[in-house]
Amino acid sequence: MKVISVKLEVPEWVDEEKFVARLKRMAEKMIYPEKLSAEEVREIFGTFEEEVEPVDVREKEKRRIKWLYSILQ
């Protein structure tokens, strides 16, 4: 993570600690929002949608068992 320094001129009556705390909260909400859309998550993590064909696991297992049985005979 990188650090960004910001220099601002404000009136003397502004409470510096409160101002900095409020500015940090605003930045955190921009950087780490509470909710993200699915499109934002895809963009951030570089994910994509993929078509996946269903596999009949039972049929594959039956063929494997038949094959094992034929080898053992």
Side-chain angles (χ1 to χ4, degrees), residues 36-59:
L36 293 172
S37 69
E39 189 59 39
E40 290 171 323
V41 171
R42 286 187 195 105
E43 185 178 321
I44 290 170
F45 294 109
T47 59
F48 55 92
E49 291 185 26
E50 183 179 353
E51 293 280 332
V52 178
E53 294 182 29
V55 176
D56 187 0
V57 178
R58 288 184 180 199
E59 187 60 39

Side-chain angles (χ1 to χ4, degrees), residues 8-22:
L8 297 172
E9 291 184 24
V10 295
E12 292 292 325
W13 53 266
V14 173
D15 184 358
E16 187 176 338
E17 290 177 8
K18 287 182 180 179
F19 185 80
V20 169
R22 188 172 286 172

